[in-house]
């Protein structure tokens, strides 16, 4: 499962400027702020400033879209998983991602948007999803690396979201986090097995790590200095830990795991800083990140096209289910008459 | 629902929303765990099973049309719930009982 601190504006650019917040009734705003300051929770029927509602709809729906699109790169390997065991695991994981998307869409809908509107925004390319899924899964080790690193990064991000100020989002995150740990562990374990194999298998793992490492670091979102939205998100209790802090936590946790696995991380600047008590790391390529977010990654078009096709191909099922429900209802009414 | 002829293309409509309640274990209450869209009750149950009980989280599921739920208004919170705040005598700790009486 996969968010990132992805609350990038849907018309994203590295330096997008937010319009000034709309004026809200002072007394309601004061009561809202007081509740947030007291670390209280906001529920769907409570009054909330429009900007808070909009930010949440954007973030939760991007998160939901990421889950749904995230099914594609892994789903790609279900038919080619190396054993029945791995296939069953992968199917369970992909099904979880679908479930996570549904929890999140439901949470977004409590804010007054509809499922159709949310899907429409995804399918027309208006809404974003995590940029990590716009990269291809080239070999079986990619599936393991997605579990270990991509899900690992997502967990880092999602654990603080369990304390998000918006109740339905926080509750969805609790459920998601409970299920997520299996995702990371299965990936890491699949890689451990490969690292005990032939040289060719070990090379596959290293290759997958090399391709995904920097992209995973970018998942945490732009540096704090370039994230004007983050400050407001922190103020509102939507975001609890800054992008850079989460990224650092992820790196510090991952370096020892890489060592146990027996792979190197492709960053010559990666080294322990005794003074900071953290690992230092090199420069992330933000230009590539934004290019991918804005539609120019290697798989953006393919992902969206697959998603839209699946939705369109399923239209008749949705219509038939409604027609069936109507028919059943009429039959019951007739019998009752 | 008014009858619609099969030939008239029905406007694509969203499946209605259902609230899902799961009993995690025999002897415990059903607890709200989320919502989902489904065309009818039977489908809602099936989908609730897939969405909310993939890891044996439940032994029983209720689904209720969301629109059938009547909720109290948050603005009425004060009127509804504050009166209970000053009725401390409704709690056992309000009463001082001599120690020698023991547990009561």
């Amino acid at each position: 499962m996969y968010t990132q601190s992805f609350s990038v504006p849907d018309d994203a650019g590295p330096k997008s400027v937010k319009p000034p917040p709309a004026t809200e009734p002072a007394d309601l705003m004061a009561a809202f702020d007081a509740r947030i300051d007291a670390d209280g929770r906001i529920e769907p029927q409570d009054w909330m400033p429009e900007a808070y509602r909009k930010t949440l709809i954007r973030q939760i729906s991007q998160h939901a879209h990421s889950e749904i699109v995230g099914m594609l790169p892994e789903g790609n390997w279900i038919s080619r998983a190396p054993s029945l065991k791995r296939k069953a695991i992968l199917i369970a994981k992909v099904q979880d991602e679908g479930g996570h998307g549904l929890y999140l869409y439901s949470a977004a809908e409590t804010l007054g948007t509809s499922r159709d509107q949310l899907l429409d925004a995804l399918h027309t390319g208006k809404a974003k999803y995590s940029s990590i899924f716009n990269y291809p899964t080239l070999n079986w080790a990619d599936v393991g690396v997605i579990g270990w690193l991509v899900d690992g990064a997502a967990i880092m991000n999602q654990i603080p979201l369990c304390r998000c100020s918006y109740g339905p989002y926080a509750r969805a995150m609790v459920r998601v986090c409970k299920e997520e740990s299996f995702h990371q562990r299965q990936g890491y374990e699949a890689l451990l097995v490969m690292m005990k194999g032939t040289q060719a298998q070990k090379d596959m793992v290293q290759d997958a790590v090399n391709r995904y490492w920097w992209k995973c670091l970018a998942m945490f979102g732009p540096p704090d200095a370039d994230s004007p939205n983050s400050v407001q998100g922190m103020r509102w209790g939507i975001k609890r830990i800054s992008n850079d802090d989460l990224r650092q936590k992820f790196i510090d946790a991952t370096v020892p795991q890489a060592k146990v696995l027996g792979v190197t991380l492709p960053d010559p600047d990666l080294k322990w800083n005794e003074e900071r008590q953290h690992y230092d790391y090199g420069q992330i390529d933000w230009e590539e990140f934004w290019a991918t977010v804005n539609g120019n990654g290697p798989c953006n078009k393919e992902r969206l096209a697959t998603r839209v096709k699946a939705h369109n191909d399923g239209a008749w099922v949705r219509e038939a289910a409604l027609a069936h429900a109507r028919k059943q209802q009429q039959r019951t009414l007739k019998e009752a008459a | 629902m008014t009858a619609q002829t099969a030939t008239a293309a029905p406007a694509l409509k969203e499946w209605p929303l259902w609230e899902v309640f799961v009993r995690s274990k025999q002897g415990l209450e059903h607890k709200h765990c989320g919502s989902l869209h489904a065309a009818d009750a039977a489908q809602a149950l099936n989908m609730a099973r897939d969405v909310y009980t993939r890891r044996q989280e439940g032994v029983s599921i209720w689904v209720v049309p969301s629109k059938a739920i009547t909720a109290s208004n948050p603005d009425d919170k004060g009127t509804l719930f504050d009166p209970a705040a000053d009725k401390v005598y409704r709690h056992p700790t309000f009463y001082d009982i001599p120690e020698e009486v023991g547990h009561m």
Side-chain angles (χ1 to χ4, degrees):
Chain A
M1 139 85 75
Y2 315 112
T3 167
Q4 51 192 335
S5 66
F6 207 178
S7 190
V8 294
D10 283 333
D11 53 353
K15 291 270 152 68
S16 64
V17 181
K18 261 183 67 171
T23 46
E24 302 281 6
D27 52 333
L28 292 174
M29 196 63 214
F32 176 85
D33 283 340
R35 191 183 293 186
I36 296 281
D37 290 341
D39 203 22
R41 295 291 180 267
I42 308 297
E43 293 295 339
Q45 288 190 311
D46 295 332
W47 183 88
M48 61 186 90
E50 240 355 82
Y52 177 83
R53 184 185 299 276
K54 277 199 182 130
T55 301
L56 277 171
I57 291 178
R58 190 183 62 210
Q59 179 169 335
I60 301 173
S61 65
Q62 284 178 3
H63 196 161
H65 299 329
S66 302
E67 301 290 346
I68 300 298
V69 176
M71 296 166 81
L72 301 174
E74 290 180 297
N76 187 32
W77 280 91
I78 289 176
S79 61
R80 289 176 287 158
S83 68
L84 188 56
K85 173 181 148 189
R86 295 289 165 193
K87 185 187 291 222
I89 292 169
L90 190 55
I91 290 172
K93 180 175 189 298
V94 171
Q95 192 191 16
D96 273 356
E97 308 301 1
H100 297 174
L102 293 177
Y103 307 155
L104 286 159
Y105 281 128
S106 293
E109 285 171 76
T110 62
L111 290 157
T113 179
S114 75
R115 183 72 59 94
D116 280 351
Q117 282 172 318
L118 294 170
L119 290 180
D120 198 55
L122 172 65
H123 295 160
T124 54
K126 243 172 63 195
K128 306 289 184 203
Y129 53 86
S130 186
S131 54
I132 196 83
F133 303 117
N134 289 316
Y135 296 97
T137 39
L138 300 179
N139 74 47
W140 171 251
D142 288 28
V143 175
V145 165
I146 286 180
W148 172 39
L149 295 180
V150 176
D151 286 290
I155 292 170
M156 278 295 169
N157 221 331
Q158 288 171 158
I159 287 175
L161 285 173
C162 296
R163 293 183 291 121
C164 167
S165 62
Y166 187 59
Y169 192 23
R171 291 192 288 274
M173 279 301 102
V174 169
R175 190 177 293 282
V176 164
C177 284
K178 263 189 208 162
E179 300 181 355
E180 199 72 28
S181 137
F182 135 66
H183 295 185
Q184 189 183 19
R185 290 174 67 111
Q186 66 81 32
Y188 190 70
E189 192 235 25
L191 297 177
L192 279 172
V193 171
M194 287 183 83
M195 290 303 285
K196 288 189 198 118
T198 63
Q199 189 57 44
Q201 285 173 309
K202 291 178 194 172
D203 293 346
M204 277 165 79
V205 175
Q206 185 62 59
D207 170 60
V209 170
N210 291 349
R211 278 181 290 110
Y212 271 94
W213 174 248
W214 287 105
K215 293 160 182 66
C216 289
L217 296 190
M219 278 177 73
F220 293 93
D224 295 345
D226 298 332
S227 315
N229 289 339
S230 280
V231 181
Q232 186 64 75
M234 298 274 243
R235 171 69 191 87
W236 279 334
I238 296 173
K239 199 173 167 51
R240 298 283 185 177
I241 306 181
S242 82
N243 294 355
D244 285 334
D245 287 351
L246 281 171
R247 188 163 17 243
Q248 184 70 61
K249 252 176 102 144
F250 173 72
I251 292 168
D252 292 348
T254 307
V255 171
Q257 295 165 0
K259 208 168 159 195
V260 174
L261 189 58
V263 294
T264 57
L265 298 169
D267 179 359
D269 296 325
L270 188 70
K271 60 172 179 297
W272 181 251
N273 183 323
E274 191 58 40
E275 201 180 316
R276 290 202 311 128
Q277 290 291 303
H278 289 296
Y279 283 92
D280 289 336
Y281 56 96
Q283 267 297 317
I284 297 168
D285 184 350
W286 291 109
E287 261 174 49
E288 191 206 333
F289 172 79
W290 286 112
T292 309
V293 166
N294 287 322
N296 300 315
C299 299
N300 294 57
K301 288 190 181 66
E302 184 194 327
R303 297 287 185 242
L304 206 54
T306 309
R307 180 57 222 148
V308 170
K309 183 177 184 303
H311 188 71
N312 291 343
D313 288 354
W316 71 270
V317 179
R318 294 191 296 277
E319 285 165 31
L322 268 182
H324 176 72
R326 262 197 302 270
K327 221 186 235 175
Q328 292 293 108
Q329 201 182 18
Q330 277 162 359
R331 189 171 298 163
T332 319
L333 287 177
K334 216 180 274 173
E335 277 166 14
Chain B
M1 188 101 244
T2 51
Q4 244 171 340
T5 56
T7 47
L12 194 59
K13 248 190 62 202
E14 269 192 13
W15 288 346
L17 194 63
W18 302 74
E19 299 303 318
V20 180
F21 299 78
V22 171
R23 183 203 294 283
S24 59
K25 192 173 128 188
Q26 206 69 13
L28 295 180
E29 74 278 39
H30 285 78
K31 218 172 134 188
H32 184 246
C33 71
S35 54
L36 52 77
H37 289 275
D40 59 23
Q43 193 196 20
L45 265 185
N46 277 330
M47 293 183 49
R49 170 193 167 270
D50 286 346
V51 177
Y52 291 106
T53 63
R54 286 193 300 279
R55 290 176 174 78
Q56 296 186 295
E57 288 91 340
V59 293
S60 164
I61 302 173
W62 289 348
V63 289
V64 179
S66 303
K67 61 173 196 271
I69 291 179
T70 309
S72 65
N73 187 334
D75 295 342
D76 298 338
K77 208 171 86 187
T79 339
L80 287 176
F81 306 114
D82 285 356
D86 58 2
K87 296 180 180 58
V88 282
Y89 48 83
R90 285 184 172 161
H91 296 281
T93 45
F94 181 71
Y95 303 94
D96 286 329
I97 304 289
E99 203 138 308
E100 66 243 48
V101 176
H103 177 73
M104 180 185 273

